[in-house]
Amino acid sequence: MAIRVNKPRSLETTGEIVDLLFELVGRMRAHLERTVERFDLSPPQALALLQLDRPLPMRHLAQHLRCDASNVTGIVDRLEARGLVERRVDRADRRIKNLVLTRPGTVLRARLRRSLLQDAPALTSLSAKDQRALRDLLTRALAAP
Amino acid sequence: MAIRVNKPRSLETTGEIVDLLFELVGRMRAHLERTVERFDLSPPQALALLQLDRPLPMRHLAQHLRCDASNVTGIVDRLEARGLVERRVDRADRRIKNLVLTRPGTVLRARLRRSLLQDAPALTSLSAKDQRALRDLLTRALAAP
DNA sequence: TATTGTTATACTCTATAACTATA
DNA sequence: TATAGTTATAGAGTATAACAATA
């Protein structure tokens, strides 16, 4: 068995990437906060809406948002009160409530997503080619175990 | 003047990147929470510590952490109580307090950073070459106005 | 017994406003 | 008059635990 304590990959580069991601995500969060305000949504409400490109049980939404399921209740309550989302009891398992966008919810989600992406900080300054390269790198990074 | 409503860059790709970043950052946050626990630090305390690679006025630290200055007081209080940082009044402007890592603080910061980077989720699965490519893309993205 | 969603509750993080000391 | 940091306080976001309905 070879004696190799460190991987050839340098922690130095990893550190630079983490710092860059930290900065990028900071800018994106600020951008999100400015944008959702115009839509009269809280950031959690907006993130929930963005996840609902397909019907999703409450619990799955919680997993996607990385928060406890008890939080989702309140978030969805407000989205439902505004007529953006419906809770539909699952026919196969009646404990489950599937979240489905209403027509207005679908429209609002599309507008929100477009606003967020159209001037996504930093990303818009990359060329189309660079964007594809970035996408492919991130895909490869996340694909591995 | 040419009639061009959309940029050639596709919102489609931008959207994919945002989704990938969302997933990546989620994993990194979970990783951060697991790791800082072992160091008996809260995530904000850990992030503050990580920023202090050089002396920094309270207010600048707040800007880096993207939070109000009033929060930093409590975070630094606890780090100082543990003897990890010192508040040093600036000689040129006595309103300013510069945060400086103590010797134990420097040691702990290095250990924390190493732990975080050594098994940074997703990033460690990239080859050294891919890591450099990712770093360069992110640098370019953030450099632009 | 285990799981989904809800409620009630407490805790953490964060921002706002008023204060002090310096400038 | 303006700025750096602190304090007190309130609000948002989150998690935990107990519960009802269903599996």
Side-chain angles (χ1 to χ4, degrees):
Chain A
M1 186 181 176
I3 298 171
R4 162 160 277 191
V5 179
N6 293 316
K7 296 182 180 178
R9 222 170 289 103
S10 87
L11 284 192
E12 186 54 43
T13 309
T14 312
E16 290 178 62
I17 294 172
V18 170
D19 291 342
L20 289 162
L21 285 172
F22 191 80
E23 172 65 23
L24 176 59
V25 168
R27 293 196 203 176
M28 290 178 75
R29 263 245 307 263
H31 175 51
L32 175 73
E33 278 164 24
R34 281 191 302 271
T35 306
V36 301
E37 206 172 282
R38 302 207 317 267
F39 288 82
D40 210 17
L41 294 165
S42 72
Q45 284 167 32
L47 293 175
L49 207 55
L50 291 169
Q51 292 291 335
L52 290 175
D53 55 331
R54 64 204 178 284
L56 231 51
M58 302 280 287
R59 196 150 290 263
H60 288 191
L61 179 56
Q63 283 161 1
H64 284 295
L65 298 177
R66 289 169 202 274
C67 70
D68 190 87
S70 60
N71 297 316
V72 177
T73 300
I75 295 170
V76 170
D77 280 349
R78 279 161 232 138
L79 292 177
E80 196 173 34
R82 277 179 62 177
L84 301 172
V85 178
E86 275 180 29
R87 287 158 148 106
R88 290 199 196 149
V89 173
D90 191 290
R91 279 195 286 252
D93 183 340
R94 302 202 5 235
R95 294 173 301 180
I96 294 174
K97 294 179 186 172
N98 289 297
L99 301 173
V100 186
L101 289 183
T102 61
R103 196 76 185 95
T106 306
V107 172
L108 190 68
R109 179 184 181 280
R111 287 208 298 127
L112 171 63
R113 187 169 165 92
R114 213 178 312 120
S115 291
L116 283 170
L117 298 181
Q118 236 157 22
D119 37 26
L123 299 186
T124 55
S125 70
L126 287 178
S127 70
K129 190 182 167 193
D130 275 352
Q131 280 210 355
R132 286 193 299 272
L134 177 56
R135 177 198 59 193
D136 294 343
L137 279 169
L138 291 173
T139 303
R140 220 176 304 151
L142 289 167
Chain B
M1 187 179 178
I3 298 171
R4 162 160 277 190
V5 178
N6 293 318
K7 296 181 182 179
R9 220 170 289 105
S10 87
L11 283 192
E12 186 53 42
T13 309
T14 312
E16 289 178 63
I17 294 173
V18 170
D19 291 342
L20 289 162
L21 285 172
F22 191 80
E23 173 64 23
L24 175 59
V25 168
R27 291 196 205 177
M28 290 178 77
R29 264 244 307 263
H31 175 51
L32 175 72
E33 277 163 26
R34 282 192 302 272
T35 307
V36 301
E37 205 172 283
R38 302 207 319 266
F39 288 82
D40 209 18
L41 294 164
S42 72
Q45 284 166 32
L47 293 175
L49 207 56
L50 291 169
Q51 291 293 334
L52 289 175
D53 55 331
R54 64 201 179 286
L56 228 52
M58 303 279 288
R59 196 150 288 264
H60 288 191
L61 178 57
Q63 283 161 0
H64 283 295
L65 299 177
R66 288 172 203 273
C67 70
D68 190 86
S70 60
N71 297 317
V72 177
T73 300
I75 295 170
V76 171
D77 280 350
R78 276 159 235 139
L79 292 178
E80 195 173 33
R82 277 179 62 177
L84 301 173
V85 294
E86 276 180 27
R87 286 182 232 238
R88 290 197 196 151
V89 174
D90 191 290
R91 278 195 286 254
D93 183 342
R94 303 204 3 237
R95 292 172 303 182
I96 294 173
K97 294 179 185 169
N98 288 297
L99 300 173
V100 187
L101 288 183
T102 61
R103 196 75 185 96
T106 306
V107 172
L108 189 68
R109 179 184 181 278
R111 285 209 299 128
L112 172 62
R113 187 170 165 92
R114 212 177 313 120
S115 291
L116 283 170
L117 298 182
Q118 236 156 23
D119 37 25
L123 298 187
T124 55
S125 70
L126 287 178
S127 70
K129 188 182 167 192
D130 275 351
Q131 280 211 354
R132 287 193 298 272
L134 178 56
R135 176 197 59 192
D136 294 343
L137 278 170
L138 291 173
T139 303
R140 220 177 304 151
L142 289 167

